[in-house]
Amino acid sequence: MALDLLVRYPGRSVRSRIQVRRGALDRLGACARAIKARRVAVVSDATVAALYGGLSVRSLERAGLTASLVTVPPGERAKNPRQLVRLWGWLGALGLTRGDAVVALGGGVVGDLAGFAAATWLRGVAWIGVPTSLVAQIDSCVGGKTAVDLEVGKNLVGAFHQPVAVLVDPDALATLPERHHRAGLAELVKLGMAVDGGLFAWTERHARRLRGRDGAVLEQAVARAIRVKARVVRGDERERWGGARTALNYGHTLGHALESACGYRGPLHGEAVAIGMRAAAAISTRVAGLSAAARARQDALLDAFGLPRRVPPVALEDLLRAMRQDKKRGAAEVRWVLTPRVGHASVPRPVDRRLVRSALIEIGARV
Ligand code: GLY
């Protein structure tokens, strides 16, 4: 299921062309030439660069562009201000100008970090996303969120900076480690639970083939997810207070807190979101009218994808503190995205502290 989608943002001249097609990596050069870049700075992580760095640089050079590749260490811990400063230094040494472009070749971490370097270099240069992980292809490649993490919280420093183009190559998923594959499936469950009951039902029907990494079904999943996410973010690019995009943070109140409380060495982002969705559904059954049957559907799908059921050994107080640091909190209280039905998450709302504590203890937080 190839896809060629132009995402426009009302009232703004920016637009992102998102293409999903097998073998898309080889078209990076043509894509960069189409946006009239001359010099291209490719940012990747060491693992992805070893697999696809050469192919990407060759494609750019074949198109007559000057390409340079730099790597950051793999994993969420590289998404920090120190690596960002390193990238700025490298862009400076290359002499990257406003007529040039940055390419983010990798998963969500590389997209966030390289995208933020592009957002800030010379007050903003063009960038192309080339997502290679399932989390990035299903979710983070759409919508222009870029950021780095701080010790005190995830994504606390960042910018909305839309990529001019996103090239999604489902073939790149073949080399993804199994754990990262499962973590990516969590984002598919999230999109379904939060904003699209049809996508959720489709995911249920194809769960076995998705878990089994069937290439054709994965390609369909990526294209469907991108359409759904694009529909949401084009109406609320900047995630207004109470806007439609906030629903996409279903599972994130606890998910981000878990990642940060574990020093970004614990669960992968998708795993943390899976645990966060289990807690959000438990709370939703108590205060948002989610039926026990709908909660069971969600949890069964997460189980089918082999996603974690319980929080890793983290103290309850550390989790509560990390939640208070999250940028999505209200002025005075931690807010949760809850859902009354599959596909209809609401805007974030405060939840009684005792209820949060009991939901967290229920899924393994240590008192
Ligand atoms: N990952 C949620 C969003 O992009 O809004």
Side-chain angles (χ1 to χ4, degrees), residues 26-311:
D26 210 29
R27 297 175 49 79
L28 178 59
C31 175
R33 205 178 44 204
I35 65 159
K36 301 193 168 37
R38 289 179 297 259
R39 181 182 294 273
V40 181
V42 181
V43 180
S44 192
D45 73 35
T47 310
V48 175
L51 293 164
Y52 305 115
L55 184 75
S56 307
V57 167
R58 277 195 300 280
S59 171
L60 290 160
E61 288 177 345
R62 267 201 319 275
L65 305 170
T66 307
S68 315
L69 174 70
V70 71
T71 61
V72 296
E76 185 74 30
R77 282 184 64 76
K79 213 178 93 180
N80 62 44
R82 207 165 39 80
Q83 290 296 337
L84 179 66
V85 171
R86 211 186 124 235
L87 289 182
W88 285 332
W90 179 68
L91 296 177
L94 285 181
L96 202 87
T97 70
R98 283 203 174 138
D100 299 326
V102 170
V103 167
L105 171 69
V109 167
V110 167
D112 277 11
L113 184 59
F116 191 42
T120 44
W121 183 249
L122 305 181
R123 300 199 176 95
V125 296
W127 72 289
I128 298 172
V130 186
T132 57
S133 73
L134 193 55
V135 165
Q137 294 195 354
I138 279 181
D139 182 68
S140 59
C141 74
V142 187
K145 279 188 179 175
T146 72
V148 291
D149 301 331
L150 301 183
E151 293 290 326
V152 288
K154 193 174 152 80
N155 295 338
L156 286 184
V157 184
F160 289 96
H161 185 51
Q162 298 299 339
V164 284
V166 181
L167 271 187
V168 183
D169 188 344
D171 285 347
L173 299 175
T175 50
L176 199 62
E178 178 58 24
R179 187 176 164 206
H180 289 253
H181 174 72
R182 292 199 302 262
L185 292 172
E187 291 290 354
L188 196 58
V189 179
K190 180 205 78 177
L191 268 179
M193 276 305 287
V195 293
D196 197 305
L199 178 65
F200 187 88
W202 181 91
T203 306
E204 286 181 312
R205 283 199 302 281
H206 294 84
R208 202 174 47 80
R209 292 172 72 189
L210 287 163
R211 174 79 193 261
R213 307 179 73 148
D214 177 314
V217 178
L218 274 177
E219 185 179 349
Q220 276 191 56
V222 167
R224 282 172 188 271
I226 286 175
R227 273 191 197 286
V228 168
K229 181 153 181 198
R231 188 184 74 217
V232 175
V233 301
R234 69 160 67 96
D236 181 22
E237 186 195 359
R238 299 288 164 129
E239 198 174 289
R240 313 186 302 282
W241 188 245
R245 189 167 182 169
T246 58
L248 298 180
N249 295 323
Y250 179 65
H252 281 60
T253 302
L254 175 57
H256 278 183
L258 262 174
E259 287 182 84
S260 148
C262 295
Y264 308 109
R265 286 193 184 89
L268 298 172
H269 177 65
E271 294 171 332
V273 168
I275 298 167
M277 287 193 284
R278 292 184 194 267
I283 294 172
S284 295
T285 55
R286 303 214 186 118
V287 295
L290 183 72
S291 68
R295 176 186 173 193
R297 267 178 84 193
Q298 172 197 276
D299 289 354
L301 194 49
L302 296 172
D303 289 346
F305 291 153
L307 287 157
R309 292 182 169 179
R310 297 178 67 75
V311 299

